[in-house]
C-alpha cells in the first residue's frame, strides 16, 4: 500500500543550492511540498522570495504558495550577503522565467503557523537558510511550533570549522541568536552541518546527466555553473557541494544520515567564534534539549539520489 506523502515546508533563502533542494523536494513522491517560506540570507529578502517563485514555476509548481519572512536577523544585522558565491540575484547569473503566481499575502510565520495548526499529519520543516523565521515562529506561535513533526536544519558544524569564518557556517553565522533559540527549543531537530555536506560533492558528470534530461535539468545545470567555479576555488573540489540538497534528502528519507544526540550551544558573542556551533561530542546526550547531529553520510548514495531524482523530474517535464 502506498504511503501518504509527508507534508513538507521549506524555509529558504535561494541561493543556488537552495534552488536545487526545492527541485529535489518537488521530484520526491515521499513528500508533499505545501509551503515555501523565504528569509534573508544569501541575498536580500525580496530577491530570495522572487527566486523561490521562479524555481517553483520552472518545475511547473506555481501552485505551491510562497510567503515572505524576515528581512533581517533577530538582533544584529547580517554583516555580509553571499552574492560573491551565488551571484548578485542569487541564482548564479541565470534569469529564470517569471512566475505567474503572486506572493502569499500572509507573513511567512503566520502562513507556517496556520499550516501547522490545520495539518492532520505531522509536518516536516526543512530550514535551509538562516533560522530567523523559525525562531520567530517559536516566539510568536509556540503552540504551532510544538506541532512540527521534524525540523531538519542545514547549518552548523561539529568538527569541520566554518565556511564563512574559521569557526562559523553561513546559515548559523547569519543569525546566531535565532539558531540559539531553535537549537535549545527541544523540538525533534536534525542538524545537517558541514561534517556531512562538505564530503557530498555533485560532480560534473552528474550535472550533465540531468542537464541532458530536459529543459528543466538544463536550467538547473546552468544555475550550478557559477557554484562549480566557487567550489573549485574555495574547497578544491571538482564538483559542487550540495549543502541544502543533502538536508532535503534527510527530510525526504529519514535515516539517510547517521545522527547522534548531542548537546549543541551556539556562540552568540562578538568575537572570532560568533556563530560557531559548539557540539559536545564527549557523550550521547539524553537531555530534552539535545538535537540529532548528522555525523555520517554515504556521499555517493546521496549524490546518486539527487541526480536520479532531478533526472526524472527533468524528463517528466520535457
Amino acid at each position: 500500500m502506498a504511503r501518504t506523502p509527508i507534508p513538507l515546508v521549506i524555509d529558504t533563502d535561494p541561493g543556488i543550492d537552495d534552488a536545487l533542494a526545492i527541485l529535489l523536494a518537488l521530484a520526491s513522491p515521499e513528500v508533499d511540498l505545501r509551503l515555501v517560506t523565504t528569509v534573508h540570507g544569501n541575498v536580500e529578502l525580496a530577491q530570495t522570495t522572487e527566486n523561490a517563485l521562479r524555481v517553483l514555476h520552472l518545475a511547473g509548481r506555481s501552485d505551491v504558495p510562497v510567503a515572505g519572512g524576515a528581512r533581517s536577523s533577530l538582533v544584529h544585522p547580517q554583516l555580509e550577503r553571499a552574492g560573491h558565491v551565488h551571484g548578485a540575484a542569487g541564482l548564479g547569473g541565470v534569469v529564470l522565467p517569471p512566475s505567474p503566481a503572486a506572493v502569499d499575502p500572509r507573513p511567512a510565520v503566520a502562513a507556517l503557523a496556520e499550516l501547522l495548526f490545520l495539518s492532520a499529519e505531522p509536518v516536516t520543516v526543512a530550514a535551509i537558510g538562516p533560522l530567523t523565521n523559525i525562531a520567530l515562529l517559536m516566539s510568536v506561535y509556540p503552540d504551532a511550533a510544538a506541532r512540527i513533526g521534524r525540523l531538519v536544519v542545514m547549518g552548523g558544524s561539529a568538527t569541520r570549522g566554518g565556511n564563512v569564518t574559521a569557526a562559523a557556517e553561513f546559515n548559523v553565522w547569519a543569525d546566531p541568536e535565532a539558531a540559539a533559540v531553535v537549537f535549545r527549543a527541544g523540538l525533534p531537530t536534525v542538524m545537517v552541518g558541514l561534517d556531512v555536506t562538505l564530503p557530498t560533492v555533485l560532480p560534473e558528470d552528474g550535472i550533465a546527466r540531468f542537464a541532458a534530461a530536459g529543459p528543466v535539468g538544463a536550467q538547473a545545470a546552468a544555475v550550478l555553473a557559477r557554484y562549480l567555479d566557487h567550489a573549485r576555488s574555495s574547497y578544491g573540489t571538482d564538483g559542487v557541494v550540495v549543502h541544502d540538497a543533502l538536508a532535503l534528502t534527510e527530510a525526504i528519507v529519514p535515516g539517510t544520515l547517521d545522527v547522534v544526540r548531542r548537546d549543541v550551544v551556539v556562540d552568540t558573542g562578538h568575537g572570532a567564534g560568533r556563530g560557531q556551533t559548539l557540539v559536545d561530542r564527549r557523550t550521547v546526550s539524553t537531555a530534552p534539549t539535545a538535537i540529532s547531529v548528522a555525523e555520517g553520510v554515504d556521499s555517493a548514495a546521496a549524490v546518486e539520489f539527487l541526480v536520479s531524482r532531478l533526472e526524472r523530474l527533468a524528463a517528466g517535464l520535457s
Side-chain angles (χ1 to χ4, degrees), residues 123-195:
V123 176
T124 294
V125 177
I128 56 176
L131 289 167
T132 316
N133 286 341
I134 308 303
L136 288 169
L137 177 76
M138 292 175 176
S139 177
V140 179
Y141 298 101
D143 292 342
R147 293 175 62 88
I148 293 174
R150 195 160 178 259
L151 176 63
V152 180
V153 173
M154 191 282 118
S157 170
T159 65
R160 299 292 292 262
N163 63 351
V164 67
T165 71
E169 178 276 329
F170 179 84
N171 284 343
V172 176
W173 170 86
D175 196 344
E177 285 78 14
V181 168
V182 173
F183 286 161
R184 65 171 180 256
L187 291 180
T189 300
V190 182
M191 186 183 96
V192 181
L194 300 181
D195 311 273

Side-chain angles (χ1 to χ4, degrees), residues 138-286:
M138 292 175 176
S139 177
V140 179
Y141 298 101
D143 292 342
R147 293 175 62 88
I148 293 174
R150 195 160 178 259
L151 176 63
V152 180
V153 173
M154 191 282 118
S157 170
T159 65
R160 299 292 292 262
N163 63 351
V164 67
T165 71
E169 178 276 329
F170 179 84
N171 284 343
V172 176
W173 170 86
D175 196 344
E177 285 78 14
V181 168
V182 173
F183 286 161
R184 65 171 180 256
L187 291 180
T189 300
V190 182
M191 186 183 96
V192 181
L194 300 181
D195 311 273
V196 290
T197 65
L198 288 180
T200 306
V201 178
L202 170 60
E204 287 188 84
D205 59 351
I207 298 170
R209 276 174 55 189
F210 59 75
V216 171
Q219 288 277 44
V223 169
L224 283 170
R226 181 188 179 108
Y227 212 41
L228 185 60
D229 293 338
H230 169 72
R232 287 191 181 117
S233 61
S234 297
Y235 302 129
T237 60
D238 195 20
V240 297
V241 179
V242 287
H243 301 286
D244 295 336
L246 185 61
L248 258 295
T249 301
E250 174 62 29
I252 294 161
V253 184
T256 293
L257 304 176
D258 298 326
V259 302
V260 183
R261 295 278 293 175
R262 304 291 194 193
D263 294 317
V264 179
V265 174
V266 179
D267 186 338
T268 57
H270 296 281
R274 180 169 173 79
Q276 182 178 10
T277 45
L278 302 166
V279 180
D280 188 347
R281 300 180 69 243
R282 295 172 297 174
T283 184
V284 176
S285 178
T286 59

Side-chain angles (χ1 to χ4, degrees), residues 21-46:
I22 292 169
L23 293 175
L24 176 59
L26 296 174
S28 298
E30 297 90 343
V31 294
D32 175 15
L33 183 57
R34 302 273 184 90
L35 173 69
V36 173
T37 53
T38 58
V39 67
H40 71 96
N42 288 317
V43 289
E44 300 289 342
L45 178 71

